[in-house]
Amino acid sequence: MGISEGFRELAVPPGMVGVCALGQAGFLLKGANGTVVAVDPYLSDRLAADSEFGPPGRWARRFPPPFGPAELDADVVLVTHEHADHFDPHTLGPALARRPFTVVAPPVLRQDAEALGARFVPALAGEPLEVAGVRVHPVPAAHSPEYTGPLCYDVMVQDGAHRFLGYVVELDPGVTVYHAGDTVLHPEIDRALAGLRPRVALLPVNGRDRIREELGIVGNLTVREAAHLAAGADARWLLPSHHDLFAVNAESVTTFVDVLDRGFPDQEYLVPKVGRPVVLGI
């Protein structure tokens, strides 16, 4: 049995959540009700040689995916935004050919998702939706490349809808997971999270700097900012994301652990091993 199929069979007691990191921003989630949710799965290596994204090799994977695209076994896939390491047709196409599932994503991705054969559900910030037995709360993410100054990012609204999103997923009553997508801190996010109280926060911690911005890389939270966001949302667990797959845009796990241990000793955290499911008490 492969990792993805094994995750579906993972026993998750009530009041707990199963999590499996896929690398970069990808995760599998599961509660006691059995629904498997995938978020931002990137299981191909399409960026390695695609000149659209820079010189060959800039975006090569540092490690192989835990399983191939066709092995992805999920009931619903949440996509936070259109960037190629989050919405990957080379992952979703083979996966949909194997087993149909619903894709939830910002409205800008409707045509691309439906072209792959997916049932598409548009995600609008502030409008919860029910899909595959779980409740999904889309929240804004501040990842717009149209920022107004150095290290200053904003949310982007296009045709009345946020182009970049995160999601708070209610897998079971009281079992909530926040996947922030790609983001920095922003007041709109604080307002959107108020009252949702996610118990697990999956946050990008690769940070941002002038050098990467000059390469066209839109940055994310620093480790310290991620810890502040998790604490403000009252998340019990903080798991890092977006820090491991690409050498040009990585953050050290040692830095993550050091910042949390020194500056946020009350924050529980876990650095998951890619492809190794864990069950967390919340």
Side-chain angles (χ1 to χ4, degrees):
M1 182 182 295
I3 291 171
S4 187
E5 293 90 344
F7 187 79
R8 181 172 289 281
E9 299 302 319
L10 182 70
V12 181
M16 304 185 80
V17 58
V19 180
C20 183
L22 305 179
Q24 192 62 350
F27 288 89
L28 298 177
L29 307 173
K30 182 185 176 186
N33 78 348
T35 298
V36 176
V37 178
V39 190
D40 286 353
Y42 176 72
L43 300 170
S44 75
D45 200 18
R46 66 175 293 231
L47 298 180
D50 195 328
S51 61
E52 177 186 354
F53 304 105
R58 173 179 289 175
W59 297 103
R61 304 181 65 103
R62 297 169 71 188
F63 51 84
F67 50 85
E71 298 174 72
L72 178 64
D73 183 9
D75 299 300
V76 58
V77 172
L78 308 181
V79 176
T80 60
H81 62 286
E82 74 260 28
H83 289 165
D85 54 328
H86 298 259
F87 177 75
D88 178 26
H90 292 217
T91 292
L92 298 183
L96 283 161
R98 173 188 181 273
R99 183 179 190 273
F101 49 76
T102 299
V103 171
V104 177
V108 69
L109 283 170
R110 175 186 289 274
Q111 184 174 353
D112 291 328
E114 290 182 343
L116 297 171
R119 174 179 177 266
F120 182 81
V121 175
L124 301 173
E127 298 187 14
L129 55 96
E130 305 279 345
V131 58
V134 299
R135 186 168 178 83
V136 179
H137 299 262
V139 301
H143 192 53
S144 172
E146 304 298 328
Y147 49 87
T148 56
L151 307 185
C152 181
Y153 297 75
D154 205 351
V155 298
M156 178 187 285
V157 178
Q158 180 175 319
D159 298 327
H162 286 81
R163 193 157 182 162
F164 304 98
L165 290 172
Y167 298 103
V168 175
V169 186
E170 291 185 56
L171 297 160
D172 297 303
V175 179
T176 49
V177 179
Y178 172 40
H179 188 298
D182 280 1
T183 195
V184 298
L185 298 175
H186 196 280
E188 278 199 39
I189 298 172
D190 298 335
R191 289 191 290 269
L193 290 176
L196 293 179
R197 199 167 179 260
R199 304 306 294 140
V200 180
L202 313 174
L203 303 182
V205 300
N206 57 295
R208 57 204 182 275
D209 55 56
R210 183 66 175 270
I211 295 172
R212 283 181 285 178
E213 287 183 330
E214 289 177 350
L215 293 174
I217 300 173
V218 183
N220 283 312
L221 299 163
T222 66
V223 175
R224 183 171 296 276
E225 288 169 336
H228 276 290
L229 181 55
D234 197 25
R236 175 179 176 181
W237 291 98
L238 169 57
L239 278 62
S241 75
H242 214 284
H243 64 288
D244 54 357
L245 190 58
F246 304 119
V248 72
N249 199 18
E251 179 57 88
S252 167
V253 170
T254 301
T255 299
F256 176 80
V257 171
D258 185 63
V259 170
L260 268 292
D261 283 347
R262 291 175 181 269
F264 302 86
D266 295 329
Q267 178 66 63
E268 294 187 66
Y269 65 84
L270 175 72
V271 181
K273 295 287 188 180
V274 170
R276 296 186 185 178
V278 296
V279 177
L280 299 175
I282 61 169

